[in-house]
Amino acid sequence: MMSDPILPSAAPAHAGAAPQEQAVKVRVRDVTVSYDGAMAIDSVNIDIPDKSVMAIIGPSGCGKSTFLRCLNRMNDTISGCSVTGDIRIDEEDVTARNVNPVMLRARVGMVFQEPNPFPKTVFENVAYGPKIHGLAATRAELEDIVETSLRRAGLWDEVKDGLHKPGTSLSGGQQQRLVIARAIAINPEIILMDEPCSALDPIATARIEELIDELRQNYCIVIVTHSMSQAARISQNTAFFDRGKLIETGTTEQIFTNPRDRRTHDYITGRYG
Amino acid sequence: MPSHTLKAFTSELNALTSDVLRMGGMAEAMITDMATAFARGDSELARSVIQRDAEVNALETRLEREITRLLALRQPVAQDLRGIIAALKVSNDLERIGDLAKNVCKRLIAMGEEHGATGQKSVERMSRAVRLQLNTVLDAYATQNAQEAIDVWQHDEEIDEHYNSMFREVLTYMMEDPRKISQGAHLLFIAKNLERIGDHCTNIAEVVHFFVTGEDMPMARPKLSDLE
């Protein structure tokens, strides 16, 4: 466009938006995992920012879930699994031998694909963690934690009149929110989610997504998902894994509008395989 | 680029590109015929250009509908998304180019007998320059060539120069002879329309660059200083 030949016009200045600084919550360096000698993930390096959602995407068998399980040392429980490399949460090495995995898992909560409430009441499901970690001195404190956690998980209004019914009597979507309430009841810093919506219908999925978006104000969330549209909807950063390698990581906007790596591009646009 | 696993999507995207190029070909032919009509004072040809604008508009409407469908059903991302947005924007610019060519032809008919020597060469030169711009930018779109898009974008300065010199020229005629004011006014609008066609070509160049690279144009386009 040209300026009017009669009226002088001011050219608009292009202001480049500076990227927001995000504090790093988890720093992963050279992490390699193998099962009985077969490499599952290969020298992964990634920084996971605090108070935001990072989505891990990639085809089946690419190492997404294995990576997630490294973060709270769930791989320790699998025989034949070896993990090398350095994982730091707030600069503290969590792979060190002297770190108690049970205490680590109190800091790093996890939500799985299938809702897995304990065969106990709704109340007991949420109260279980705070009880064993000694987070409540009195019954009143415990009740308070249960209510706050259920409210944060967006479930309180639906279950407040049936706190002593079995957790398994809830619907799938409610059970998944119950599990999330259980995870946040022990005040974790990080919440790992492994395909938390794959067993839910679209309405229940939308409620969980809304919940994840609220939770990110207070937690660092890492979510493995097969749904790329879900990754695009709820995450601020996305990491793409393929055949055990971290191919690309960036802001979700960048990954879904202009991925740098051809393999990422082919995967998210449906040209894979 | 490999085909989508869902092959229908690849063919839909290809069909979209060919529709945009077909629309581009129609706009290009309108500019060529507009220039010929002007050079020959051929009002029959000018009328045919005016009639053809409706076809370009109809194609744009069809493209818009198809793009809405693709966005809803395929949920495109990355280069697919950029390609679909590019088709939407390019078709919009082409529709505007068609309108502007039509407007020039309407003025040509309105000028009637008055149409003649004054400013004619300048209009012809400018028409050739904008047609070349359109031709090149459509080529850049078809071949996904970002460098060619940058070239078009930078060449717009030339069109602006044409416009400014024609503006001065016509103004001089009008000052010299008040009987030429009505003809001069038409010529000024014609020049402005051609200059606007040039602008739409640079818009398309920007869209093509973003489509291919995912980035905005790397530098600020050189601009002519205002006419003194």
Side-chain angles (χ1 to χ4, degrees), chain A residues 1-175:
Chain A
M1 180 171 306
M2 72 172 294
S3 47
D4 191 283
I6 297 166
L7 298 169
S9 64
H14 276 280
Q20 263 190 323
E21 276 300 315
Q22 284 174 303
V24 174
K25 183 72 183 174
V26 187
R27 203 180 292 279
V28 175
R29 289 294 175 269
D30 275 325
V31 166
T32 296
V33 181
S34 45
Y35 296 110
D36 296 321
M39 199 177 280
I41 62 175
D42 182 5
S43 335
V44 167
N45 289 290
I46 191 170
D47 288 343
I48 302 173
D50 201 6
K51 306 218 182 326
S52 69
V53 180
M54 170 163 273
I56 312 277
I57 60 169
S60 297
C62 71
K64 305 183 292 282
S65 299
T66 300
F67 173 74
L68 203 65
R69 286 197 303 265
C70 288
L71 301 179
N72 66 350
R73 289 186 45 183
M74 291 281 278
N75 288 322
D76 288 13
T77 60
I78 300 170
S79 70
C81 177
S82 105
V83 181
T84 61
D86 197 40
I87 301 172
R88 288 172 186 273
I89 295 177
D90 290 334
E91 300 304 332
E92 182 195 340
D93 183 3
V94 296
T95 55
R97 286 189 172 275
N98 60 0
V99 171
N100 177 352
V102 175
M103 294 316 288
L104 174 65
R105 283 170 211 144
R107 294 174 69 190
V108 187
M110 192 155 185
V111 176
F112 298 88
Q113 187 171 351
E114 291 286 338
N116 56 349
F118 302 138
K120 293 170 182 289
T121 65
V122 170
F123 184 91
E124 283 301 322
N125 260 281
V126 183
Y128 183 79
K131 269 194 207 163
I132 62 164
H133 288 285
L135 298 182
T138 64
R139 176 76 190 178
E141 268 180 44
L142 189 63
E143 282 172 0
D144 193 44
I145 291 175
V146 169
E147 181 176 340
T148 311
S149 305
L150 285 168
R151 278 191 190 281
R152 281 197 171 174
L155 191 60
W156 176 252
D157 288 340
E158 290 160 59
V159 298
K160 63 181 179 205
D161 299 324
L163 287 175
H164 300 289
K165 288 182 184 161
T168 47
S169 67
L170 301 176
S171 74
Q174 287 172 328
Q175 287 186 27

Side-chain angles (χ1 to χ4, degrees), chain B residues 15 19 22 57-67:
Chain B
D19 271 353
R22 197 148 63 83
N57 294 352
L59 193 48
E60 193 214 7
T61 310
R62 214 184 75 193
L63 269 163
E64 258 176 26
R65 239 181 262 132
E66 176 61 10
I67 287 167

